[in-house]
Amino acid sequence: MSLVVAIVGATGVVGREMLHTLEQRDFPLTSLRLLASPRSVGTSLTFKGEALQVQVATPEAFKGVDVALFSAGASTSRELAPAAAAAGAVVIDNSSAWRMDDDVPLVVPEVNLESAKKPPKGIIANPNCSTIQLVVALAPIHRAAKLRHIVVTTFQASSGKGKAAVEELHNHLQAIANKQPFEPKVFPAHLMMNVVSDWKAGNDGYSEEELKIINETRKILGDNSIAVSPTTMRVPVVTGHSESVHVQCHRPISADEVKELLRNSPGIVVDDRDYAPGAHPQPIDSAGTDPVFVGRIRNDLGVPGAINMWVVADNLRKGAALNAVQIAEELFVRR
Ligand SMILES: NC(=O)c1ccc[n+]([C@@H]2O[C@H](COP(=O)([O-])OP(=O)(O)OC[C@H]3O[C@@H](n4cnc5c(N)ncnc54)[C@H](OP(=O)(O)O)[C@@H]3O)[C@@H](O)[C@H]2O)c1
C-alpha cells in the first residue's frame, strides 16, 4: 500500500506533529503534500530528511490525494474538506467544523472505529483534544457499567490554542524574567502564573469548549443519556492536557474494578502508585508520548459507588495528530 497524503495546516503545531507522527510510524506513503495559507509560501519542512515546500491550500491541491489530514481551523475545513472529498480523498479533520454533523463520524479508534469505515460525506472528524483523552478513559467503564454522570474539570495546555499561544507563553515568561510589562494578545488575561478560561462563550454560562465536551462525549459513546458536567480551564503548561474526572455509573463501581478495566484497555497506561506528592501522571511527562495516562483512581468518599481519577495526555499527539493518523492506519493499512 502506498498512498498520497496531504496535510492542510502543515505549518501549525498540530500539522507539524502530524508530519512527525507519519514519519515516526513509517506510514506507507509515496508522496506528501504540505498545504497551508499564502503566508507560508516559501516555507519548507523536513520529512524523512527531505525538505518539502509548503504550498497554498486550494481545491485543486487535492488532485490524486488519497488521505487529507486537515488541521487548519474550522473555516478552512468548511471550505476545503468537501473539495478534497470530491477529489476522492478521505478527509480526516481536526477542526470543529464537521464534528456534530450526523453524516460525519466522530472517531477515536480505541472506542468507535467501526463508525469510520463508510463516512457518507468522505469526511471523518477527529474530536476535540480534551474529549479524546476523556473518552479513551471512559469507554471501558461505560461498556462495563454504563455511565450515568461524569464531572470533568480540565487543565489545558497553551499549545491547544495553536502556535501563537505557545509563542505568547514563552514571550510572557521572558518578560517576567526581564521584569518587563507584558500585554497578552492571544489569551484574554495573563496566563503565566495564572489559570484562565479562554474559550468563546457558548450557551447558559458555558464556554464553547465545555459544550464540545458534552456533545462530543455523548456522540462518540453513542449515548445521549450520559450527564456530563464540564469546566474547562487553561493553565501555563506548554503541552499535555490534564483532567480531573468524577464518574458515576448505573451500578456501583470501585477503584479496583476501574484499575483492572483500564489496565486491559488499549491506549491507556494506568499509574497505580499510592498517593504521594507528585506521584501521578504529569503533563510534562506526557509530552511527546502516545498513551492516555490515568492515575489517582480512587473511590469517592462522598458518593458511594462512584470513583475519581486523573487523566493526562499529549494534546498534540493523542489529542490531535496521533488520533488522526491512527484512523488513517486503520482505514488504509490494517483493513
Ligand atoms: N492544538 C491542539 O492541541 C489541537 C487539538 C485538536 C484539534 N486542534 C485543531 O486543529 C486545528 C489547527 O490547530 P493548531 O493548534 O495546529 O493551530 P496553529 O498552530 O495556529 O496552526 C494553524 C494552521 O492552519 C493554517 N491555516 C490557517 N488559515 C488557513 C487558510 N485560510 N488556508 C490554509 N491553511 C490555513 C496555518 O497556516 P499558516 O502557518 O500559513 O498561517 C497553520 O498551518 C484547529 O482547527 C484546532 O481547533 C488543535
Side-chain angles (χ1 to χ4, degrees):
M1 169 73 45
S2 47
L3 300 159
V4 178
V5 176
I7 302 178
V8 187
T11 51
V13 285
V14 172
R16 286 169 191 266
E17 195 60 44
M18 280 176 169
L19 209 71
H20 185 53
T21 306
L22 290 169
E23 179 168 331
Q24 247 186 2
R25 296 172 77 88
D26 204 15
F27 189 86
L29 52 84
T30 43
S31 81
L32 183 59
R33 228 167 270 178
L34 304 182
L35 307 173
S37 82
R39 288 179 291 273
S40 293
V41 170
T43 304
S44 77
L45 298 170
T46 306
F47 181 72
K48 293 192 171 176
E50 190 188 342
L52 300 177
Q53 291 297 319
V54 176
Q55 301 162 35
V56 179
T58 60
E60 296 71 38
F62 298 99
K63 193 161 178 249
V65 169
D66 300 296
V67 188
L69 302 170
F70 272 68
S71 66
S75 54
T76 305
S77 290
R78 265 186 227 107
E79 187 192 329
L80 290 179
V90 170
V91 172
I92 304 173
D93 179 38
N94 264 286
S95 82
S96 58
W98 303 96
R99 289 181 190 147
M100 296 313 294
D101 185 316
D102 286 342
D103 290 330
V104 174
L106 183 62
V107 178
V108 177
E110 292 86 342
V111 181
N112 62 341
L113 178 65
E114 275 310 303
S115 65
K117 298 222 163 129
K118 284 203 175 112
K121 289 183 171 163
I123 302 172
I124 296 163
N126 227 35
N128 174 280
C129 42
S130 33
T131 306
I132 293 180
Q133 66 186 70
L134 179 66
V135 297
V136 168
L138 287 177
I141 306 173
H142 187 51
R143 280 188 211 110
K146 197 165 166 27
L147 295 171
R148 191 162 64 81
H149 185 197
I150 63 164
V151 182
V152 54
T153 305
T154 70
F155 305 71
Q156 295 182 221
S158 61
S159 61
K161 211 177 171 81
K163 59 186 172 185
V166 175
E167 216 172 279
E168 178 160 304
L169 191 67
H170 282 127
N171 291 341
H172 191 179
L173 184 61
Q174 198 59 52
I176 291 171
N178 295 338
K179 296 190 170 36
Q180 287 168 341
F182 186 82
E183 273 309 312
K185 292 194 179 69
V186 178
F187 296 110
H190 282 183
L191 184 60
M192 197 52 81
M193 300 185 183
N194 208 2
V195 177
V196 176
S197 186
D198 65 14
W199 294 270
K200 285 187 199 150
N203 286 320
D204 302 321
Y206 284 79
S207 68
E208 275 189 346
E209 185 84 349
E210 289 162 348
L211 299 178
K212 283 178 193 170
I213 291 182
I214 297 173
N215 296 331
E216 294 180 24
T217 299
R218 289 172 167 171
K219 180 169 174 178
I220 298 161
L221 295 177
D223 187 343
N224 281 332
S225 75
I226 302 168
V228 182
S229 306
T231 303
T232 57
M233 301 303 290
R234 189 82 64 191
V235 293
V237 162
V238 176
T239 302
H241 288 354
S242 305
E243 299 178 340
S244 161
V245 189
H246 168 85
V247 185
Q248 295 180 28
C249 291
H250 285 269
R251 68 161 171 79
I253 49 167
S254 70
D256 285 342
E257 178 185 3
V258 169
K259 282 182 194 174
E260 194 55 23
L261 277 169
L262 300 191
R263 258 190 226 110
N264 293 305
S265 300
I268 297 176
V269 171
V270 172
D271 178 343
D272 58 4
R273 287 175 283 178
D274 288 337
Y275 175 76
H280 54 78
Q282 297 179 16
I284 203 165
D285 299 321
S286 77
T289 73
D290 291 350
V292 173
F293 298 90
V294 187
R296 304 211 58 211
I297 304 172
R298 58 212 191 274
N299 293 318
D300 192 291
L301 297 179
V303 183
I307 64 103
N308 298 307
M309 59 186 179
W310 178 247
V311 180
V312 176
D314 182 331
N315 51 295
L316 300 177
R317 279 184 81 87
K318 186 57 191 166
L322 173 66
N323 197 72
V325 172
Q326 284 174 323
I327 294 170
E329 286 174 346
E330 294 292 348
L331 294 182
F332 290 94
V333 186
R334 278 194 268 287
R335 63 183 174 167

